[in-house]
Amino acid sequence: VQLVESGGGLVKPGESLRLSCATSGFTFSGHYMGWVRQAPGKGLEWVSYISQSGLNIDYADSVKGRFTTSRDNTKNSLFLQMTNLRVEDTAIYYCAKEAPRAYGDLESWGQGTMVTVSS
Amino acid sequence: VLTQSPATLSLSPGERATLSCRAGHSVGTFVAWYQQKPGQAPRLLFYDASKRAAGIPARFSASGSGTDFTLTISSLGPEDFAVYYCHERINWPFTFGPGTTVDMK
């Protein structure tokens, strides 16, 4: 199982960024996928959780209305479109695959991509 | 809301580590434990309160239900010094605890 995030970088408040997560080694279309972030020196925070089909998506209140999660099951890829970014969105963003038979637990994680929001 | 105690546990290799996680309301057994080392992604240790994830050594054990959960490392190896997070998935939004740092005395 491999998950590789990309797309992070330095942006100004109010700007947008799109993260990608390329996966391999498992049946991508068969699993929920999640985005979890970690601000520098802080703990883990859920961002979103998307169903196998992409039709059901849950978002943290802190990103609702600004972030959009999607997936392309034909390309085994997960995406996070982030708009109207705030300084407090600065974090490492991880994509992760659900654990089997444990909805909401994350069995495999990418290495993360850093997003820095600063003027 | 999950609380973890202690915030920091200072121990020597070979010692026993006992980490606690408490939920503000019953979460059944929908609790997982993750380990995170500096510069690395979290790693799933246990799910459903006590089910060991693949590849996790037997010196790790976990238990609990309802509101009180425990992660135990029977004999700390040098690679076990890390931050440990509990996590609940009873309802969205799922939440992580603030973490317990196990560092070397």
Side-chain angles (χ1 to χ4, degrees):
Chain A
V1 173
Q2 273 206 310
L3 301 94
V4 180
E5 303 93 336
S6 61
L10 173 63
V11 295
K12 292 181 168 54
E15 293 186 342
S16 299
L17 208 55
R18 187 184 194 225
L19 306 184
S20 299
C21 175
T23 75
S24 61
F26 67 100
T27 305
F28 180 74
S29 60
H31 294 275
Y32 270 76
M33 297 292 296
W35 287 101
V36 174
R37 67 183 181 182
Q38 187 170 36
K42 302 297 185 183
L44 301 168
E45 179 190 21
W46 273 95
V47 174
S48 64
Y49 201 41
I50 184 169
S51 65
Q52 295 96 326
S53 65
L55 294 179
N56 294 304
I57 311 171
D58 286 311
Y59 293 98
D61 286 345
S62 57
V63 307
K64 205 173 291 185
R66 301 186 300 121
F67 289 12
T68 302
T69 296
S70 62
R71 63 192 295 162
D72 185 340
N73 287 344
T74 67
K75 296 181 178 177
N76 298 331
S77 294
L78 179 70
F79 305 100
L80 182 65
Q81 178 69 48
M82 304 184 292
T83 63
N84 192 19
L85 280 159
R86 304 168 179 167
V87 170
E88 55 265 34
D89 295 319
T90 294
I92 298 172
Y93 285 74
Y94 296 101
C95 73
K97 166 189 168 292
E98 68 161 356
R101 300 175 298 279
Y103 169 83
D105 290 331
L106 300 171
E107 173 185 60
S108 303
W109 298 62
Q111 85 289 349
T113 188
M114 184 71 205
V115 172
T116 303
V117 186
S118 174
S119 54
Chain B
V1 175
L2 296 177
T3 57
Q4 292 188 243
S5 60
T8 303
L9 199 51
S10 296
L11 296 168
S12 300
E15 289 194 294
R16 182 183 187 88
T18 303
L19 288 68
S20 174
C21 174
R22 178 162 288 178
H25 59 275
S26 177
V27 292
T29 56
F30 293 133
V31 163
W33 289 92
Y34 294 85
Q35 176 195 65
Q36 187 179 33
K37 298 178 183 178
Q40 296 186 17
R43 176 172 73 145
L44 179 66
L45 299 177
F46 291 90
Y47 61 98
D48 289 350
S50 61
K51 295 178 181 175
R52 189 178 288 109
I56 303 306
R59 65 180 180 274
F60 289 89
S61 63
S63 63
S65 65
T67 60
D68 291 293
F69 301 87
T70 301
L71 174 69
T72 302
I73 311 171
S74 60
S75 176
L76 280 165
E79 65 275 26
D80 300 334
F81 293 94
V83 180
Y84 293 84
Y85 295 96
C86 59
H87 169 261
E88 63 82 12
R89 59 180 182 91
I90 186 79
N91 282 307
W92 184 265
F94 309 142
T95 57
F96 292 93
T100 290
T101 300
V102 178
D103 65 16
M104 201 173 297
K105 189 189 290 184

